[in-house]
Amino acid sequence: MHTQEEFEGWVASMERGDCGYIYLRLYADAPDWVRDTAINRFGKGTVFLPPLDVKPRAA
């Protein structure tokens, strides 16, 4: 099972829009489970924006 912290690490940006939509931008190299988790968490009102570059590496 993946943790909340792991999920948030793959999210480049997230905004709540009109009519309850969630606009979510993931990093380009995000694994499939991240997209599945977002849909399960936010429901059908999840709008995926084009991905950002790959996730920056920790220093």
Side-chain angles (χ1 to χ4, degrees), residues 1-30:
M1 184 54 94
H2 304 284
T3 65
Q4 173 76 15
E5 186 175 297
E6 286 178 312
F7 171 75
E8 290 175 355
W10 290 106
V11 176
S13 67
M14 180 171 48
E15 293 184 34
R16 183 172 298 276
D18 296 337
C19 302
Y21 288 103
I22 298 291
Y23 293 92
L24 194 64
R25 186 181 311 269
L26 303 174
Y27 287 106
D29 57 344

Side-chain angles (χ1 to χ4, degrees), residues 31-51:
D32 291 338
W33 68 264
V34 176
R35 185 179 179 90
D36 296 341
T37 300
I39 292 170
N40 289 335
R41 183 171 298 171
F42 305 118
K44 292 183 180 180
T46 306
V47 178
F48 290 95
L49 301 174

